[in-house]
């Protein structure tokens, strides 16, 4: 167009900038920005809005997007939505929420697109109370409740810990898309409600909805998290045989996770060796963690060394190998690995925990003393420690991979981020109110055990969303982990779940392996 001598106008640039955003070409986007300035369209609000979107879509340039935004007139909700949406997509959820609050103070009414972005940010942060406020705001302001907005609400409630509210919204929808079904299926999986996930999937098929590969990721995750090994295998096989969907690397990853959680490490390794594609880092790490958990340390060492050869600059592989050497008590090898990491400038991703109190988000890392009330928080943690010991708690010092004495290991465990967040919540919330946490990594075994004790001692329901799932701690039990190990699960019908080797309870016996229900005589119910 330019070569033909045709001059661009204010309608041309939004399309060109969207194209730059679509391919993520920052240099090209900057060139177009220069052209916008040259031809004098830099004050057009539609061009500016698209420019904000373009910079947000090009990696590492959110600061430039904010610079453009700050210099614009802000009377239009589309302008705010562009920047809020950009923050949300980039995972800068706290910034997205902060900007939304600023939008309210200047009196600009948000539209449906704004609310979807804000809900996405709430989902990422695990900010349930803020998400509930957003839902009430949508009702109050009569924001159009499209299918997309309903889907965003369902996803937010499911991933912020209120799966029953998500199910209620889903049930009352007049129109459902594949995204609606997927959001609920994935949500149920995260909450460990495997049989309900399977039931909903079958209902989806009966409703004439054609499943896609994302639905199967949720379905297989549900089987994995609930210990439904045989059902997971059957659904995996049905993907290609029944629905014509070729499994992707994520589906294979779900199957490896399923086998590893069930302790079938050798079968998982054989499954990986027979895959039609090379395993990715996630699958190899799943195998390594299973080897470590189930005592296959030599096998774990071998796989980790292979992982390091494939990705020599990935710090997480070195951490895995370091942890295996610590488990094997090979401190010299562990030290050597840590020294190699230091030489290459590698650092372990720090564990952090977020908590929402009075619509404010607080983030803590291990040993965190940055909070202005850190003295009171640490005093509360000391009290928690004394009360837990009195109740019979013993620290799982095997989680601390250092060649130090047991007392020092115990002290290191007592300063983990989730314990700091729980202490803060005990100080700042009324007795008996639930505590909700979001952890960026998996919850370690010691913090898991400690949280059980804390839930009983302080009579609190504690909900923890870690990297993979939700844990519900109440009365000294975790509804998720104790269900998978065959001891307890506070499911919707209060059914007692037991391993096949244990006596069935009065309600019947639940087979962890295939999800079947048997009566007390052993007959199929």
């Amino acid at each position: 167009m330019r070569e033909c001598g045709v001059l661009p106008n204010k309608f041309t640039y939004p399309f060109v900038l969207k194209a730059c955003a679509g391919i993520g070409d920052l240099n090209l986007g900057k060139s177009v920005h220069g052209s916008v300035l040259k031809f004098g369209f830099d004050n057009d609000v539609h061009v500016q809005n698209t420019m904000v979107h373009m910079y947000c879509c090009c990696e590492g340039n959110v600061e430039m997007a904010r610079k453009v935004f700050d210099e614009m007139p802000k009377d239009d909700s589309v302008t705010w939505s562009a920047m809020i949406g950009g923050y949300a997509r980039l995972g800068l959820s706290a910034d997205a929420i902060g900007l939304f609050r600023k939008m309210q103070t200047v009196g600009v009414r948000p539209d449906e697109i704004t609310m979807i972005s804000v809900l996405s940010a709430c989902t990422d942060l695990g900010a349930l109370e803020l998400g509930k406020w957003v839902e009430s705001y949508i009702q109050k302001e009569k924001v159009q409740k499209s299918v997309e907005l309903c889907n965003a609400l369902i996803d937010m409630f499911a991933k912020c810990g209120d799966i029953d509210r998500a199910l209620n919204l889903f049930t009352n929808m007049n129109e459902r898309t594949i995204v609606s079904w997927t959001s609920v299926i994935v949500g149920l999986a995260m909450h460990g409600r495997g049989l309900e996930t399977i039931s909903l999937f079958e209902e989806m098929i009966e409703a004439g909805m054609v499943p896609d590969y994302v639905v199967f990721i949720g379905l297989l995750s549900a089987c994995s998290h609930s210990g439904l090994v045989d059902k997971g295998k059957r659904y995996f096989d049905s993907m290609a045989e029944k629905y014509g969907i070729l499994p992707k690397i994520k589906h294979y990853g779900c199957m490896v996770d399923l086998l590893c959680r069930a302790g079938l490490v050798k079968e998982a390794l054989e499954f990986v060796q027979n895959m039609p594609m090379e395993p990715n880092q996630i699958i190899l790490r799943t195998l390594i963690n299973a080897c470590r958990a189930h005592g296959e340390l030599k096998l774990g060492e071998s796989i980790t060394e292979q992982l390091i050869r494939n990705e020599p600059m990935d710090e997480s592989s070195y951490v895995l190998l370091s942890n295996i050497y610590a488990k094997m008590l090979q401190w010299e090898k562990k030290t050597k690995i840590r020294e190699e990491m230091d030489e290459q400038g590698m650092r372990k991703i720090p564990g952090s925990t977020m908590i929402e109190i009075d619509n404010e988000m607080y983030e803590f890392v291990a040993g965190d003393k940055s909070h202005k009330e850190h003295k009171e928080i640490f005093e509360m943690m000391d009290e928690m420690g004394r009360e837990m010991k009195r109740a019979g708690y013993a620290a799982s010092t095997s989680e601390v991979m250092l060649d130090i004495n047991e007392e020092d290991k115990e002290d290191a465990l007592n300063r983990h981020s989730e314990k700091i967040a729980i202490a803060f919540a005990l100080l700042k919330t009324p007795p008996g109110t639930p505590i909700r946490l979001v952890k960026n990594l998996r919850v370690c075994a010691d913090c898991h055990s400690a949280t059980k004790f804390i839930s009983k001692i302080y009579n609190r329901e504690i909900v923890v969303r870690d990297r993979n799932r939700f844990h519900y701690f109440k009365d000294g039990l975790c509804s998720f982990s104790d269900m998978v190990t065959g001891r307890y699960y506070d499911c919707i019908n209060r059914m007692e779940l037991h391993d096949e080797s244990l006596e069935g309870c009065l309600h019947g016996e639940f087979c962890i392996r295939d999800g079947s229900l048997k009566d007390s005589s052993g007959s199929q119910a």
Side-chain angles (χ1 to χ4, degrees), residues 114-156:
T114 316
M115 302 317 291
I116 289 172
S117 296
V118 172
L119 286 168
S120 174
C122 292
T123 303
D124 183 50
L125 294 170
L128 179 61
E129 294 308 314
L130 182 58
K132 286 179 179 177
W133 179 87
V134 171
E135 184 190 31
S136 64
Y137 184 87
I138 289 168
Q139 302 281 10
K140 178 182 147 191
E141 295 295 317
K142 295 183 172 54
V143 177
Q144 183 187 355
K145 225 170 178 182
S146 65
V147 175
E148 289 76 20
L149 185 53
C150 288
N151 289 343
L153 280 165
I154 289 168
D155 193 52
M156 181 276 296

Side-chain angles (χ1 to χ4, degrees), residues 62-347:
V62 69
E63 294 85 3
M64 192 62 195
R66 185 58 190 258
K67 186 175 185 296
V68 173
F69 173 82
D70 286 341
E71 294 172 356
M72 292 173 61
K74 299 176 186 64
D75 306 323
D76 183 12
S77 67
V78 177
T79 304
W80 292 89
S81 294
M83 194 67 234
I84 292 169
Y87 277 140
R89 280 193 305 276
L90 291 166
L92 301 169
S93 301
D95 293 308
I97 298 299
L99 194 60
F100 173 65
R101 285 177 170 147
K102 190 173 179 182
M103 177 183 181
Q104 290 177 284
T105 61
V106 298
V108 178
R109 186 179 183 274
D111 60 14
E112 175 198 351
I113 304 300
T114 316
M115 302 317 291
I116 289 172
S117 296
V118 172
L119 286 168
S120 174
C122 292
T123 303
D124 183 50
L125 294 170
L128 179 61
E129 294 308 314
L130 182 58
K132 286 179 179 177
W133 179 87
V134 171
E135 184 190 31
S136 64
Y137 184 87
I138 289 168
Q139 302 281 10
K140 178 182 147 191
E141 295 295 317
K142 295 183 172 54
V143 177
Q144 183 187 355
K145 225 170 178 182
S146 65
V147 175
E148 289 76 20
L149 185 53
C150 288
N151 289 343
L153 280 165
I154 289 168
D155 193 52
M156 181 276 296
F157 278 115
K159 291 178 180 174
C160 288
D162 194 345
I163 185 63
D164 292 318
R165 178 63 184 144
L167 281 166
N168 186 51
L169 282 167
F170 173 80
T171 302
N172 292 320
M173 286 180 74
N174 295 322
E175 179 190 350
R176 297 169 184 164
T177 65
I178 190 68
V179 175
S180 315
W181 291 93
T182 303
S183 296
V184 183
I185 286 171
V186 170
L188 285 167
M190 289 180 70
H191 289 263
R193 289 158 68 160
L195 294 178
E196 289 178 73
T197 308
I198 289 167
S199 175
L200 191 67
F201 174 77
E202 297 298 343
E203 186 184 329
M204 184 186 91
I205 300 302
E206 287 176 14
M209 189 70 65
V210 179
D212 61 8
Y213 78 96
V214 181
V215 170
F216 276 101
I217 291 172
L219 186 62
L220 294 173
S221 295
C223 293
S224 175
H225 291 166
S226 301
L228 304 173
V229 177
D230 290 341
K231 283 192 178 293
K233 288 178 178 178
R234 285 200 293 271
Y235 280 121
F236 180 79
D237 292 338
S238 75
M239 286 180 64
E241 293 171 5
K242 192 172 180 180
Y243 300 103
I245 300 171
L246 285 177
K248 299 187 178 184
I249 191 72
K250 285 189 176 180
H251 302 106
Y252 284 98
C254 289
M255 289 303 296
V256 173
D257 189 58
L258 172 71
L259 296 170
C260 286
R261 287 184 192 282
L264 305 171
V265 182
K266 295 289 175 64
E267 187 177 340
L269 181 61
E270 186 180 339
F271 180 86
V272 170
Q273 289 168 344
N274 292 324
M275 281 169 50
M277 61 195 76
E278 286 296 311
N280 62 13
Q281 289 182 321
I282 296 170
I283 289 175
L284 291 176
R285 287 193 195 107
T286 302
L287 277 174
I288 294 162
N289 282 320
C291 288
R292 181 181 154 210
H294 296 284
E296 300 281 353
L297 299 177
K298 282 291 181 186
L299 179 58
E301 180 184 11
S302 171
I303 299 170
T304 311
E305 287 171 348
Q306 175 194 335
L307 193 59
I308 289 173
R309 284 194 297 272
N310 293 345
E311 297 284 345
M313 294 307 294
D314 189 337
E315 73 280 353
S316 58
S317 303
Y318 291 85
V319 172
L320 282 172
L321 187 55
S322 168
N323 290 346
I324 286 173
Y325 285 143
K327 198 87 170 178
M328 296 167 77
L329 304 181
Q330 296 184 4
W331 304 112
E332 194 174 319
K333 286 186 176 180
K334 173 188 164 56
T335 303
K336 187 177 178 182
I337 287 290
R338 290 293 187 175
E339 286 173 351
E340 191 174 338
M341 288 180 68
D342 288 339
E343 286 171 10
Q344 298 189 45
M346 296 177 180
R347 291 289 180 270

Side-chain angles (χ1 to χ4, degrees), residues 74 94 111 194 215 240 275 278 291 390 414 423 429 435 445 463 470 478:
K74 299 176 186 64
D111 60 14
V215 170
M275 281 169 50
E278 286 296 311
C291 288
R390 196 174 291 128
N414 286 338
T429 58
I435 296 171
V463 182
F470 281 89
C478 172

